[in-house]
């Protein structure tokens, strides 16, 4: 044979490395576990990470269960919320080819586990075989004696069922014939109380059960300090409260703020990210920490903690939930730098090691050393920061750049916070390599920023949606599609065309369960730093008052999209997604179906200027509940209210992007 | 929402059920393991079962490795044979998108494990960043001081490399400039000796490394007692020795015997499976055990243990390896039934519980109760039986009906036997549900009987081959395609047409790495029990002398197939398989490539009477080693020696099944 040469290797001793588990010794109970329980769905990486589900929705479990031989198998699902002592039970039934199915409905949020359990159904096996022999005309006297023994053996532990078992024994004793022992209801009674030989169970599989907002919401991002009519006057929490009706009228669900903490003075950035701040420049809110405090303090010009709590309550009154930024960077003036110098890295000349991405430097911030000697205290301090804000009523955190902090830190932190506040949502702002983004979602992040912000072509949008909605991604990676961010003014928005802004927000609002808009988008703001995908005069470095009702704004368009989202559960999730055939490379077509299968919305969105006349073809698509799926018969235009019958498997659509690049159709079967 | 109602459940306490592992406490070392190491290939069920490979062949490992941040990653493969203390090392190199690749070559048979290890390359990270700053024209004085500190810190544990490190420090100290610290060879030296922060390793993944016969061999099955010229004279091991040249001339590799042990007298079966034996009827060899002994004894009429050992040696001299049956059933006369009545199940009237498949009964055999109270002694006794025959030189066991004995028993037994005799091969004779067959292969069976025996159509053969050669099946399920067995005379052979016998043996010999023929096939034996797929006058119940050179036999045809198999490594494996397009539903086309990529054989086999003129089209197929794969340019007919150039991507073939239903073509690029 002709194999490629491989390098020689020497033998070394590596005592830290794990060795294969020893096979169970001959007398181990493991050998009594006679069943294979495998290919369990839904699971993630063999149970290492939790699959995500929404409270009140059924969890469908599928599993292969089988043992040797021909005995009848019984199996059940056990599940519970983490920390509960008792187990709930749901039935498992065989479907075909050793595949079993069961369903349960978690009624509380928080981490859950489920376990699959199987055992040999002794009495059912006996009954099946005895009936077969009876049918074949064989003598079953001995079999009946054996059946009697099975019933008698189950009697002592039969509890409430003992009467039924005893009755069968009495009847058999007096009448003698096979009927009392072969009765169907005796079989049911025996199944519930008889011993469970060969009892085998799976490992526990974790599930994270969350509130609906974890999967779906429309986000709106503002800098509180810009909520002012004068760049010279720092906006306050009260200014934000005054704006709530406007944000609420646009139909948003989440109002998200960049950091609201004191900002460092040393090395403060000036306008347009200049290295030197001019007097009066407010600095980047990401340069967290100053004389007034660190991550658990509020920038004094915004107001007080009490003001903030008032804002949280006021927002709630407008149907809005406040999301805060969690950014671990510290300004050179952060109190921890003096209080805990051991939490930071220092250079040979005694200077601070600033954040950098060589050759770029960020001298207004530093990150703590997550693996410093005093790691435990540092991690606890971070946890306490998040807990502090959770106590102020914040249960949504957008996490800045989590991919540059250790994975184990996030897994620990999120588990800690959700252990106390299980309704807490963490959004990962990781614009990085795909596997790193997915790893963060596996470790516990509820939602993730995505590449959507840059995906514009039909092919690339389609490929990305296919990736996000396939297995296993659909079980744990919940996208939040942002059309823009304070850091990203994507090139396709820079020409400021209204149809493009509408197309992008319609795509975001319909493709993903969660989506986001950074303010100014609705005003078609589009002036970049030349040659870059960044906003000129970025709000990150200055206070930016705006005319929120400037002519040409698309607030009504956004409000209409958000109203349709709220009315259609199909749009409040991402994973139940399929493509629709559209005979144009410039129009994307897709369909989404609610988790309960009671709402279906088909969408066509123009990706180029128009007009477009397209044939929107459902193909062999079926909609509706499992077992009763039917073709689409008619569609209702969710904007115009117009009804159309589906003919030849589709409908013709005329799209004029200047008017509205999107057509949203509710489908009925 | 409108979810289906699910049954209510009550809460119960199930102390035996496993709970989710607690997250690691804050001070745990687990939090130092900063890397994700996931999606490891090749693995089976998350490392629960061993992947199978052949000794001397490279094991290709692929794995995703990444951590947070932008630091440079180092990673390596560690592997060893189970029980060895030291680890061997093989390099891992990044390929793309956080996917890494490495290769190692096991040089011994037996169970192995491999582990993937990753850590942060501190010096390489420093060097990359410093070079970037240098290139950007920044001052790197402080960086060089830090680099110097890294080298100095590595010095104490640098061993042989200390000189190189010290030289760099000296040069840097005297010259001052960046060159000594940024030298490439210093980077290599540092990589080998510097500390390994963030060290993270995967779980151990098991591999079973076996001899080539585990994957490939041509089997021939005979009943030793039938090796006689007179049904009244019981064949002996010496008669088998006399037949070895004939079997060897047909090119077989393995000579397999049904049980050779004493046969019970009580309830002995007569000819054609009649319930009552006539005087002189030899009984089924599967009714194991009599006055002369049990599973570790030889039927006296066959000879002695010494005769058997002589036969094993003589077979080896003819290039043949002896395979024995391992069947756990016991006749009512088996010595264990008196010696160990506690190993068996008894009925209420004190009678023995016979094997049965209601309403069918097999009163000449019983199976021990694998979960009797004295389970450990019973399992050990079975292990000792296999060990006994291994000591007589038998290293291939065909296991009868393993799917009706407990899975944990097989996993334990095979591990025990292969722990002492790692060259032992177990063939699973489980004709049962697909997942059960696959489970046995996962648990340790080297090879498996398959559904091939009944698959005749192009579509069903294609679907089955696709299933067996996909992932993960190809990693653990090694098919052994039998054209017939003593139990199965498939319906398509019952008309006795020579072309069909040739087609079937050609399919078996070329589709699967291992295949088998039960004797009589080469003589076109084909008379069934009417209406059944069973042989009339089955050799299982009587002695069947034959004329081994009867007119019309296809021994030369089989010999030619086996010679081609031996000369072409492509045919000595199953998994490297692809379909070839043939424009006829009656001809199947496929190609196989050796594991070393140095031999490629394309095959066309007629599944119906002919003649067939077909276009055999390679499409966009490429052959050859990775990185140098090229289209097929020419083919050599392995029977006629004729060469043909590939034109328009294929060749035309004329197949006359009456002459030869198969065309075997060696492909060259």
């Amino acid at each position: 044979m002709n194999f490629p040469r491989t390098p020689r290797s020497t033998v070394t001793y590596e005592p830290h490395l794990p060795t294969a588990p020893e096979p169970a010794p001959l007398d181990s109970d493991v050998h009594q576990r006679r069943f294979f329980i495998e290919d369990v769905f839904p699971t993630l990486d063999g149970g290492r990470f939790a699959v995500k589900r929404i409270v009140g929705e059924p969890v469908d479990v599928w599993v292969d269960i089988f043992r040797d031989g021909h005995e009848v198998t019984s199996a059940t699902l056990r599940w519970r919320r983490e920390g509960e002592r008792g187990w709930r039970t749901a039935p498992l039934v065989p479907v075909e080819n050793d595949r079993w199915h069961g369903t349960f409905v978690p009624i509380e949020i928080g981490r859950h586990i489920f376990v699959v359990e199987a055992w040999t159904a002794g009495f059912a096996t006996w009954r099946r075989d005895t009936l077969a022999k009876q049918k074949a005309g064989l003598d079953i006297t001995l079999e009946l004696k054996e059946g009697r023994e099975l019933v008698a053996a189950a009697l002592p532990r039969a509890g409430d069922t003992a009467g039924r078992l005893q009755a069968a024994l009495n009847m058999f004793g007096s009448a003698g014939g096979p009927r009392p022992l072969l009765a169907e209801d005796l079989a049911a009674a025996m199944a519930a109380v008889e011993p469970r030989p060969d009892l085998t169970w799976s490992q526990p599989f974790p599930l994270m059960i969350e509130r609906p907002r974890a999967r779906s919401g429309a986000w709106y991002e503002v800098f509180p300090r810009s909520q002012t009519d004068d760049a010279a006057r720092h906006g306050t929490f009260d200014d934000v409260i005054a704006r709530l009706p406007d944000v609420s009228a646009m139909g948003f669900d989440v109002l998200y703020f960049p950091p609201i903490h004191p900002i460092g003075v040393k090395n403060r950035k000036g306008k347009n990210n200049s290295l030197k701040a001019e007097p009066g420049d407010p600095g980047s809110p990401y340069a967290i920490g100053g004389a007034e405090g660190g991550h658990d303090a509020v920038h004094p010009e915004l107001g007080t903690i009490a003001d903030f709590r008032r804002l949280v309550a006021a927002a709630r009154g407008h149907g809005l939930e406040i999301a805060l930024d969690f950014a671990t960077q510290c300004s050179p003036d952060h109190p921890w730098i003096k209080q805990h110098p051991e939490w930071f890295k220092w250079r040979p000349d005694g200077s601070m090691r600033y954040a950098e991405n060589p050759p770029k430097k960020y001298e207004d911030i530093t990150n703590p050393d997550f693996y410093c000697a005093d790691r435990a205290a540092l991690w606890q301090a971070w946890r306490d920061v998040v807990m502090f804000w959770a106590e102020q009523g914040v249960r949504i955190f957008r996490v800045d750049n989590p991919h540059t902090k250790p994975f184990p830190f996030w897994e620990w932190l999120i588990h800690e916070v959700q252990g106390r506040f299980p309704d807490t949502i963490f959004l990962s702002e990781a614009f990085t390599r795909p596997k790193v983004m997915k790893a963060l979602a596996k470790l516990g992040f509820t939602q993730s920023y995505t590449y959507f912000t840059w995906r514009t072509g039909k092919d690339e949008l389609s490929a990305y949606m296919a990736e996000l909605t396939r297995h296993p991604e659909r079980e744990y990676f919940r996208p939040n599609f942002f059309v823009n961010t304070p850091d990203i003014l994507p090139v396709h928005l820079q020409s400021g065309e209204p149809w493009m802004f509408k197309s992008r927000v319609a795509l975001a609002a319909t493709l993903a369960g969660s989506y986001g808009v950074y303010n100014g988008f609705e005003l078609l703001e589009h002036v970049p730093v030349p040659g870059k995908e960044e906003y000129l005069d970025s709000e990150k470095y200055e206070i930016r008052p705006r005319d929120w009702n400037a002519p040409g704004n698309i607030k009504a368009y956004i409000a209409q999209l958000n109203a349709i989202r709220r009315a259609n559960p199909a749009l409040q999730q991402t994973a139940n997604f399929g493509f629709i055939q559209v005979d144009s490379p410039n129009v994307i077509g897709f369909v989404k179906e609610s988790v309960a299968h009671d709402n279906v919305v088909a969408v066509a969105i123009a990706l180029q200027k128009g007009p477009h006349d397209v044939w929107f073809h459902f193909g062999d698509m079926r909609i509706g509940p499992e077992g009763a799926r039917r073709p689409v018969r008619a569609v209702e235009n969710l904007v115009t209210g117009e009804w159309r019958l589906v003919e030849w498997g589709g409908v013709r659509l005329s799209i004029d992007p200047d008017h509205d690049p999107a057509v949203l159709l509710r489908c009925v079967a």
Side-chain angles (χ1 to χ4, degrees), chain A:
Chain A
M1 279 184 275
N2 171 28
F3 290 111
R5 288 170 62 99
T6 51
R8 293 240 198 135
S9 63
T10 51
V11 173
T12 59
Y13 299 89
E14 311 285 338
H16 66 281
L17 288 182
T19 56
E22 283 292 305
L26 182 48
D27 56 358
S28 164
D29 281 351
V30 167
H31 294 307
Q32 306 280 152
R33 300 185 202 151
R34 194 163 187 170
F35 284 85
F36 254 63
I37 298 178
E38 60 172 18
D39 202 4
V40 183
F41 171 89
T43 61
L44 181 55
D45 290 357
R48 166 69 180 84
F49 302 107
V51 161
K52 295 169 184 164
R53 289 291 186 272
I54 299 299
V55 68
E57 292 181 0
V59 176
D60 269 302
V61 176
W62 294 86
V63 53
D64 287 348
I65 303 174
F66 53 90
R67 49 156 280 181
D68 62 287
H70 307 287
E71 276 75 0
V72 178
T73 292
S74 281
T76 193
L77 266 175
R78 307 273 186 190
W79 63 281
R80 69 178 179 192
R81 195 159 62 76
E82 231 177 60
E84 285 184 328
R85 281 196 56 239
W87 291 86
R88 288 166 209 277
T89 302
L92 275 170
V93 295
V95 180
E96 67 169 347
N97 195 16
D98 296 316
R99 193 98 179 127
W100 293 59
H101 175 248
T103 295
F104 64 94
V105 182
I107 51 176
E108 289 176 275
I109 59 172
R111 284 177 70 97
H112 286 61
I113 53 172
F114 70 91
V115 173
V116 173
E117 217 181 17
W119 63 92
T120 302
F123 192 75
T125 302
W126 167 85
R127 184 171 179 266
R128 180 201 60 188
D129 293 349
T130 303
L131 286 169
K133 289 174 191 171
Q134 187 185 40
K135 199 174 160 194
L138 301 179
D139 176 15
I140 57 169
T141 312
L142 214 46
E143 279 72 15
L144 292 175
K145 274 196 187 164
E146 287 165 344
R148 196 193 171 290
E149 284 180 10
L150 289 173
V151 177
L155 203 52
R157 302 192 313 168
D160 295 347
T161 317
R164 176 65 192 90
L165 269 51
Q166 188 61 59
L169 293 178
N170 294 346
M171 278 175 65
F172 178 67
S174 59
R179 244 189 312 152
L181 290 178
L182 291 169
E184 263 185 55
D185 73 318
L186 179 66
M190 282 291 289
V193 301
E194 70 174 332
R196 303 193 293 168
D198 311 315
L199 185 63
T200 310
W201 52 93
S202 71
Q203 67 179 107
F205 295 103
L207 280 174
M208 184 66 198
I209 303 298
E210 291 170 292
R211 57 191 176 116
R213 183 66 65 234
R215 184 171 64 195
S216 173
W219 290 47
Y220 185 67
E221 177 176 3
V222 304
F223 284 62
R225 69 187 183 188
S226 288
Q227 310 310 305
T228 171
D229 46 14
D230 180 356
R233 188 180 73 75
H234 198 285
T236 65
F237 291 141
D238 278 322
D239 291 313
V240 179
I241 290 175
R243 264 214 79 208
L244 291 174
D246 186 36
V247 178
S248 176
M250 282 188 279
F252 287 106
D253 305 303
V254 177
L255 179 58
Y256 151 52
F257 304 149
I260 56 172
H261 315 300
I263 296 170
V265 174
K266 187 175 174 197
N267 299 339
R268 176 178 283 191
K269 291 284 184 74
K271 284 180 180 149
N272 281 305
N273 201 15
S274 60
L275 287 177
K276 196 88 195 89
E278 300 296 322
D281 279 348
S284 164
Y286 288 93
I288 296 168
E292 308 88 348
H295 281 77
D296 54 3
V298 159
H299 192 279
E301 292 186 80
L302 287 170
T304 64
I305 286 283
D307 296 334
F308 178 75
R309 293 177 73 122
R310 208 155 34 78
L311 164 56
V312 169
R316 198 176 299 127
H318 284 92
L320 284 161
E321 188 170 345
I322 298 296
L324 281 193
D325 216 306
F326 179 54
T328 62
Q329 47 267 47
C330 299
S331 92
D333 301 318
H334 196 287
W336 285 358
I337 290 178
K338 278 197 184 127
Q339 292 162 13
H340 296 286
E342 71 281 10
W343 288 355
F344 296 86
K345 280 191 177 164
W346 302 89
R347 309 198 63 186
D349 65 348
S351 69
M352 162 151 284
R353 182 176 296 282
Y354 292 109
E356 56 180 4
N357 188 4
K360 280 198 245 174
K361 282 188 177 186
Y362 305 96
E363 298 215 333
D364 61 339
I365 52 169
T366 185
N367 262 296
D369 177 6
F370 283 86
Y371 285 109
C372 63
D374 195 26
R375 167 169 73 78
L378 171 65
W379 290 25
Q380 270 165 336
W382 283 128
R383 179 195 58 192
D384 293 345
V385 163
V386 179
M387 294 286 200
F388 172 82
W389 291 108
E391 281 160 2
Q392 311 313 315
V394 177
R395 296 295 158 76
I396 306 184
F397 295 92
R398 176 269 199 195
V399 178
D400 191 68
N401 270 333
H403 58 292
T404 56
K405 289 92 201 174
F407 295 136
F409 171 69
W410 293 121
E411 184 168 32
W412 174 83
L413 180 95
I414 293 172
H415 197 279
E416 287 277 303
V417 175
Q418 289 182 337
R420 184 158 155 219
F421 301 105
D423 56 343
T424 311
I425 289 170
F426 291 91
L427 166 62
S428 157
E429 188 245 11
F431 291 113
T432 180
R433 310 189 312 282
K435 288 171 187 170
V436 176
M437 292 168 66
K438 291 175 186 177
L440 290 162
K442 290 179 180 180
L443 289 165
F445 279 92
T446 321
Q447 303 180 354
S448 307
Y449 279 67
T450 69
Y451 304 139
F452 166 77
T453 312
W454 298 278
R455 295 284 183 273
T456 55
K458 184 170 177 174
D459 286 354
E460 61 186 7
L461 279 168
S462 300
Y464 197 43
M465 286 307 296
E467 177 184 331
L468 296 182
T469 59
R470 75 184 172 191
H471 291 279
E473 281 82 353
R474 60 180 286 142
E475 309 300 345
Y476 71 90
F477 189 90
R478 295 209 195 93
N480 192 332
F481 279 9
F482 269 74
V483 291
N484 67 332
T485 79
D487 294 314
I488 310 166
L489 169 59
V491 72
H492 50 268
L493 296 181
Q494 295 185 2
S495 53
E497 295 159 286
W499 81 265
M500 175 58 92
F501 279 72
K502 288 182 180 173
S503 170
R504 293 300 294 173
V505 72
L507 285 167
T510 55
L511 285 170
S514 297
Y515 86 103
V517 165
Y518 158 57
N519 72 187
F521 179 92
E522 72 276 32
L523 307 179
L524 313 189
E525 287 182 359
H526 62 276
V527 183
V529 175
K532 295 199 172 180
E533 290 200 315
E534 290 171 21
Y535 284 94
L536 188 66
D537 303 329
S538 167
E539 202 167 356
K540 282 171 71 179
Y541 311 104
E542 60 190 274
I543 291 171
R544 283 277 306 267
R546 291 176 175 89
D547 173 4
W548 296 109
N549 295 305
N553 75 70
I554 58 167
K555 286 164 73 174
Y557 187 76
I558 293 171
Q560 176 182 288
L561 279 172
N562 284 335
I564 290 172
R565 279 173 55 89
R566 284 200 181 159
N568 288 277
L571 298 176
Q572 293 163 21
Q573 56 81 44
T574 310
N576 289 353
F577 174 92
F579 294 106
I580 298 262
Q581 202 181 313
V582 178
D583 59 346
S584 162
N586 301 322
V587 177
I588 191 169
F590 55 92
V591 66
K592 299 181 84 173
E593 185 159 4
S594 66
V595 178
H597 297 290
D598 55 359
N599 177 248
V600 178
V601 175
V603 180
I605 300 180
L607 306 174
Q608 291 288 339
K609 289 182 190 178
H612 307 281
D613 272 292
V614 297
W615 175 238
F616 188 84
H617 189 64
F618 292 106
D620 58 0
M621 198 181 86
R622 296 283 184 283
I623 61 173
E626 207 57 56
R629 292 177 76 74
R630 291 202 298 261
V632 178
R633 274 192 309 116
V635 296
E636 177 197 17
N637 187 310
L638 288 167
V639 173
T640 66
E642 176 203 9
W643 279 92
R644 296 270 293 279
L645 283 177
V646 172
E647 292 178 302
W648 301 102
V651 288
R652 284 214 75 81
L653 299 178
S654 291
I655 306 178
D656 174 10
D658 287 329
H659 170 63
D660 186 348
V663 180
L664 282 71
L665 305 167
R666 190 167 68 83
C667 304
V668 295

